[in-house]
Amino acid sequence: MTYDDSALVRRLSPEMQAMMGVYALYWKLEESFAALEVELSHQECHMVIKLDEPKRMGVLAADMLTVPSTITSTADALEEAGYLARQRDPADRRAWLLVLTDKGQEMRQMLVLEAGALFHRAAGLDADETAEFARLARKIRENIMKTGIPEGLKK
């Protein structure tokens, strides 16, 4: 049985409607991602997606809003499974870059495609609406990043 609260939601302020929509989308996507049959953990999937180009671990920690020790342990697991490799940074031979292997690139491509499909199924937006939502979401994220990362994003 499905509960229809659309009349209640329409009586709320636009701000409350936006928050309720984002909250519902978040939980629907979490549920959908949990149902994906991949051998990687949530954190490992996040890292693979963020590695669109070779990155130093410190940069990746900032990108993923997490601490360097989390990056190290996640990178170790992905390296052991053959999804990434460590390479010396040609700009600074003391530093290491994390680089996706061919297997990692294939996994990243699959995750990005599947995430897009999950988003479209969950959100029910057309291409123009998705582009507008993405623009607004980037603006919100940039504002949050400027005003201080919430503790929940640091975990």
Side-chain angles (χ1 to χ4, degrees):
M1 179 176 204
T2 309
Y3 175 69
D4 182 7
D5 68 348
S6 55
L8 165 68
V9 172
R10 281 193 293 278
R11 290 191 306 267
L12 296 172
S13 68
E15 295 85 1
M16 289 302 300
Q17 290 180 42
M19 286 187 279
M20 289 179 76
V22 168
Y23 186 73
L25 178 63
Y26 172 81
W27 285 111
K28 184 63 177 177
L29 290 174
E30 277 292 307
E31 177 184 272
S32 299
F33 278 117
L36 282 181
E37 293 186 16
V38 294
E39 63 184 24
L40 303 180
S41 70
H42 182 80
Q43 187 73 12
E44 290 166 344
C45 287
H46 191 191
M47 182 178 284
V48 167
I49 289 170
K50 289 287 189 170
L51 279 171
D52 58 329
E53 62 184 8
K55 292 182 182 172
R56 288 186 185 184
M57 286 199 253
V59 170
L60 193 55
D63 282 354
M64 292 178 61
L65 306 174
T66 192
V67 294
S69 60
T70 299
I71 297 300
T72 301
S73 61
T74 304
D76 288 347
L78 287 170
E79 185 175 31
E80 187 174 315
Y83 289 100
L84 67 78
R86 288 177 168 92
Q87 295 178 355
R88 287 284 184 193
D89 185 343
D92 181 352
R93 299 284 301 149
R94 298 168 296 172
W96 291 93
L97 295 172
L98 297 179
V99 180
L100 290 178
T101 61
D102 289 343
K103 181 180 178 181
Q105 290 287 357
E106 289 172 16
M107 177 61 76
R108 183 178 187 282
Q109 183 177 14
M110 185 278 296
L111 289 170
V112 169
L113 289 173
E114 190 62 33
L118 290 173
F119 175 84
H120 284 288
R121 283 193 301 272
L125 302 176
D126 65 28
D128 291 338
E129 291 167 327
T130 299
E132 179 63 9
F133 183 80
R135 184 189 70 75
L136 294 170
R138 276 191 312 274
K139 184 176 180 177
I140 292 166
R141 185 179 192 283
E142 288 166 5
N143 185 62
I144 289 169
M145 299 304 285
K146 277 192 283 191
T147 59
I149 300 169
E151 286 300 314
L153 290 179
K154 295 179 186 177
K155 295 178 182 173

